[in-house]
Amino acid sequence: MIDCIPNLDSIASQWQSKANSIRSSINQVNIGNQGKNGIEKLEYNVARGIISLVATVQAKHTWNVTIPEVRERVPVDKYRWADIPYPDVRMERKCRLGVCVKVPVPFTNYRREKVPYVEMEMRTITPKRTVSQTASATCKYDYTLNLSTFEQKPIFNCGQGWSGNIKLDASAITSILNGEMPTLGKLVNSLSVTPPLFKDANRDTYNDERNKMIANHSSSFVYFSSQSFVEWASAENHGTNIVLAAVSGGGYGAELVRQIQQRLTTELGFLGTWASQTAVNLGVEQIVSMLTTGEVMNFGKFRVSVKAVNVPYVYQKCVVNRGDCTPEAKSPRLGFAIIATPSN
């Protein structure tokens, strides 16, 4: 063997050293909190002086997602006591020419009954709940090393998995073997899917935008649209272009205006405190007119305007146990602020 294969001792030493290194590296490729791996084949091609490795990696990550409760004003049946009139007859004594008899006399009587009526109340439509979600993919890792040139050709192919058809090149897989992540953009191309080894870092900007609007108009009385309205007026419900056009002043389609008018009938129930401070009682048509045209109206001692506000929901993914995150992706949502400014 030694005569047939020059430098066999050196090659064997190199092969053993590299094989141990590869095994050690593969043990690090546990993507996700339940990932597994296994080496299918590790061999040395004598004729070509090439080490070849085939391994499989099952990327799997399970995480919990909290779905917030949904509350809306809904009609509720109630009852109250009331006096209900009904026709009745009573006997009265009547006398004529010394003769007295009892005669039935009709009259209106009353009885206490429970009467139904409807009242709008805030109720939990869908309770808050936590659900478990899992993303997984089985990936194949092909690695070849030429012991003469030390050229490496590692390919990591996950096929159609959690983030589309992923095939990482040599530099990307080398980064993984060194404990580093490849470019995040290669692994994350969907707002709604969290791939293995990533966690959601999403956030709602509703409180930030509301507080900012109130602070910017500290000398005025400000009503900021409810969170339920903002969630309803989202890009998911109406389309990104439609919502962006509205919040940027680019116009409102007739259908969107119609739906806003319907939704505002519920929103008016939240305006009580603002109306008591300003003595201004607005109708749906007035709010929609000021929102869509930018018109300013005078009510008593106040000049009233309605401004559209972008209240985006921010999507972001971050590597588990590391500070690396994808750039923020902002999904627009339409909110509005009613601003009453003293005239003098």
Side-chain angles (χ1 to χ4, degrees):
M1 286 286 291
I2 294 176
D3 293 335
C4 294
I5 305 176
N7 302 319
L8 179 61
D9 289 340
S10 174
I11 291 174
S13 176
Q14 287 179 305
W15 181 89
Q16 187 64 47
S17 174
K18 197 62 182 178
N20 291 337
S21 174
I22 290 173
R23 290 179 188 273
S24 175
S25 297
I26 281 296
N27 287 335
Q28 299 177 20
V29 191
N30 291 332
I31 303 180
N33 56 13
Q34 299 174 49
K36 299 178 182 179
N37 63 69
I39 296 178
E40 293 183 351
K41 180 177 67 174
L42 178 59
E43 62 185 18
Y44 172 60
N45 187 314
V46 176
R48 300 174 58 194
I50 292 176
I51 291 177
S52 176
L53 166 73
V54 177
T56 58
V57 177
Q58 183 193 40
K60 186 175 183 181
H61 194 81
T62 300
W63 68 99
N64 291 329
V65 175
T66 300
I67 301 175
E69 69 175 7
V70 176
R71 291 177 59 83
E72 289 186 3
R73 291 178 66 86
V74 297
V76 178
D77 291 331
K78 293 193 172 184
Y79 296 87
R80 65 173 179 267
W81 287 101
D83 292 327
I84 305 301
Y86 67 95
D88 202 352
V89 175
R90 61 188 171 196
M91 304 300 291
E92 292 185 2
R93 187 181 182 195
K94 293 189 177 182
C95 298
R96 184 178 182 184
L97 300 176
V99 178
C100 298
V101 295
K102 288 186 176 181
V103 179
V105 178
F107 75 104
T108 300
N109 204 351
Y110 294 86
R111 59 172 171 259
R112 298 282 289 178
E113 290 186 5
K114 283 186 176 180
V115 178
Y117 70 99
V118 176
E119 186 175 284
M120 299 298 290
E121 286 188 359
M122 288 295 296
R123 291 292 178 92
T124 298
I125 305 302
T126 304
K128 178 180 178 180
R129 66 188 190 277
T130 300
V131 297
S132 178
Q133 296 187 4
T134 298
S136 64
T138 299
C139 309
K140 186 178 181 182
Y141 173 57
D142 293 290
Y143 178 93
T144 57
L145 171 67
N146 189 316
L147 288 175
S148 299
T149 63
F150 285 97
E151 179 184 7
Q152 302 180 72
K153 291 183 179 180
I155 297 176
F156 195 62
N157 188 355
C158 290
Q160 292 296 329
W162 29 266
S163 187
N165 192 352
I166 298 178
K167 185 175 289 187
L168 305 182
D169 59 15
S171 60
I173 189 60
T174 301
S175 296
I176 287 180
L177 294 182
N178 290 334
E180 301 172 3
M181 286 301 302
T183 303
L184 295 177
K186 290 184 178 180
L187 296 176
V188 183
N189 54 18
S190 171
L191 295 181
S192 60
V193 176
T194 300
L197 199 62
F198 286 83
K199 64 180 180 180
D200 286 323
N202 305 336
R203 60 187 179 88
D204 192 331
T205 64
Y206 175 81
N207 289 331
D208 295 338
E209 295 299 331
R210 182 189 60 186
N211 295 338
K212 186 190 305 181
M213 180 61 65
I214 294 174
N216 290 341
H217 298 84
S218 57
S219 60
S220 303
F221 295 95
V222 178
Y223 172 79
F224 199 83
S225 52
S226 67
Q227 189 156 8
S228 60
F229 178 90
V230 169
E231 291 171 353
W232 168 82
S234 63
E236 286 77 9
N237 291 334
H238 298 280
T240 302
N241 293 336
I242 293 176
V243 175
L244 282 176
V247 298
S248 63
Y252 297 78
E255 177 60 19
L256 179 60
V257 171
R258 185 189 68 79
Q259 293 187 34
I260 289 176
Q261 288 175 330
Q262 290 183 339
R263 188 73 187 188
L264 282 178
T265 57
T266 299
E267 193 75 10
L268 289 180
F270 303 140
L271 271 167
T273 302
W274 182 89
S276 65
Q277 293 173 328
T278 61
V280 175
N281 293 303
L282 296 177
V284 170
E285 293 77 11
Q286 292 168 316
I287 296 175
V288 171
S289 175
M290 288 186 283
L291 176 64
T292 57
T293 67
E295 179 184 5
V296 178
M297 295 184 179
N298 293 314
F299 293 89
K301 300 179 181 180
F302 294 96
R303 299 178 72 252
V304 179
S305 62
V306 180
K307 293 185 178 180
V309 184
N310 186 14
V311 190
Y313 190 86
V314 179
Y315 292 90
Q316 193 173 34
K317 311 294 182 186
C318 295
V319 181
V320 175
N321 298 326
R322 291 183 58 173
D324 299 332
C325 297
T326 62
E328 292 182 347
K330 297 182 178 181
S331 180
R333 299 181 301 178
L334 171 64
F336 66 88
I338 304 177
I339 305 167
T341 305
S343 301
N344 47 15

